[in-house]
Amino acid sequence: MLLAGLASNDIVSAVFRRRIAALLVLASLAACGGARRDPATPVASSTQPAASPAASPTFTLTIVGTNDLHGGILERDGRGGLALLGGYVKILRAARARDGGAVLLVDAGDMFQGTLESNLSEGASVVAAYNALGYAAAAIGNHEFDFGPVGPAATPQSASDDPRGALKARAAEAKFPFLAANIIDAATNKPIAWPNVMPSTTVTAAGVRVGIIGLVTRGALSATIASNTVGLRIAPLAETIEAEAPRLRAAGADVIIVTAHAGGRCTAFDNPEDLSSCDQNAEMFQVARQLPSGLVDAIVGGHSHAPIGHQVAGIPISEANSGGRSFGRIDLEIDPATKRVMSRKSFAPIDLAPGTYESATIVPDTKIAGVLAPAVESARALKASAVGITLTTPIRRAGVPESPLGNLFTDAYLAAVPGADVAFNNTSGGLRADLPAGPLSYGALFEVMPFDNRIVAFHLAGADVRKIAAAQASRRGALVGMSGLRVVVTCDAGAPMVALLRPNGTPVRDSDRLLIATTDFLATGGDGLFASVTPPNGLTIERDAGAARDVVAAWLKARGGTLSEAELVDASKLRWTLPGPQPVACR
């Protein structure tokens, strides 16, 4: 189905028309000598160009891809940051100027949310730096919706508040378009169309017309604050490309690039066509395999915070690590006479570090550093302010079966809501860093939770909480952080049995009414934690206890003194007791 909500006849006709359009465009390209690769033809690699009669020398179009910056505009420990990225880009642009090629700089989303330097201006510092770097386009990621209306409130506080106000403001400031071909406005059944926000764009690089399509992961709306995405939905990625790419080709695009806030994961980079180290079920890999051969020339991915430098179904895909620590690169060799892509070269993600690149010394771009200076200064004092407690050990997210840092946060949530029976927090995704040993600063706490989530409370039946716990035990990945109750999973006659115990050991009955403390992100559908127990009209929020990060800071300050990781995990009364590794399997 192309767009949820269209009438069935509309769906059939829309998809039919788009597939016919794709075939006509490909046929016309073949007729004029621009035929795309046949599925049976070997994929062009970095050392084996596609067979072609073209006699003229090719030139290189270098695609530099960034993704999941999450406000990481500054270097850390001498590595990363946008000024250093600017140094690399200068080197590449100089190289392409010498050989007659060009560089295209594109981003695959989640640009803003994550650091004080970015969050204090709701991402304006990132846009200013991207303007100076000369980005061609950026995809909208799920966390671009996190800031909500313009101003300090992360969600609409009145009917006049625009839940996408901050995002629209950033788009209006950008000298490059924000792209979102598959974010659909339910009121129009069309892609969102705000000032400087569009499905795709076309730019000219070294005389070649390059169409760029922007996409976001199919799970985008469950990975941000639900109240900021009301009235939106996500269309299938592959079908969106199949509709948009032929339109761009028909309008004169010679090359098609997709920048998508959707990705995958690989661990080995010796051979870009060897996918044995990759997650074969990764979202962007699935999309690449669904596309007609030759429709897309390159993909810049994101969202999964993991590296890719490979070719899937003949399409080179790049993805870098998160936080501004690296960038992706794809080189397309293009025949200047026919404008055809003759070969594709995939690179492993390049770490942003001092040294040399392409035989040139890397020098951080002072212009970019100057653009960022006001944001850095605004955040300096707040980052350094003391929380009022000293950590005698690092407090980490990782832990089996429970996370020490997850326990810390949920203990604070529980204390913030008088009478709460249990507190939940998403350890995976909700906590972005470990806490370092030493006197705790607000900046370090902010890095753990950069999101402006609020603590809310509502009631659920004991049976509902048991259902949530059972779902957690049956899944892979980090267990949800929990405080106030203990979960004991046992096997009985080959089936898992879940019991909930209060701190004194009293079992929770299915009929008990429990007061839940958690973030508004989770309460409104984020990560699907409460999806199975949420009524059609949503959960009834009864209390608001304030910003989650500030709740934790106040709890730690009140505690004072020192705190170690060992104090947060009681081995004699684990909050999660499972009969074996996740997912629990009883035999």
Side-chain angles (χ1 to χ4, degrees), residues 390-489:
T390 297
L391 306 182
T392 57
T393 65
I395 298 179
R396 297 165 295 175
R397 291 165 289 175
V400 178
E402 58 196 58
S403 159
L405 190 58
N407 288 354
L408 184 156
F409 269 69
T410 51
D411 286 351
Y413 296 175
L414 193 71
V417 178
D421 295 290
V422 59
F424 290 113
N425 189 65
N426 50 330
T427 302
S428 179
L431 304 178
R432 292 300 178 108
D434 298 336
L435 285 176
L440 182 62
S441 69
Y442 186 81
L445 185 62
F446 187 95
E447 290 183 14
V448 173
M449 178 172 271
F451 315 109
D452 293 329
N453 297 334
R454 299 185 69 79
I455 300 303
V456 296
F458 52 87
H459 279 89
L460 287 177
D464 291 335
V465 177
R466 195 158 62 84
K467 186 175 183 180
I468 292 166
Q472 286 287 305
S474 65
R475 64 187 286 272
R476 297 184 185 275
L479 290 163
V480 68
M482 183 179 62
S483 182
L485 297 179
R486 293 169 51 217
V487 176
V488 178
V489 183

Side-chain angles (χ1 to χ4, degrees), residues 352-364:
L352 287 169
T356 60
Y357 187 63
E358 299 271 310
S359 302
T361 301
I362 304 156
V363 178

Side-chain angles (χ1 to χ4, degrees), residues 309-329:
H310 295 72
Q311 295 192 15
V312 180
I315 305 173
I317 302 177
S318 75
E319 182 179 351
N321 295 300
S322 63
R325 295 174 291 160
S326 59
F327 66 91
R329 175 179 172 183

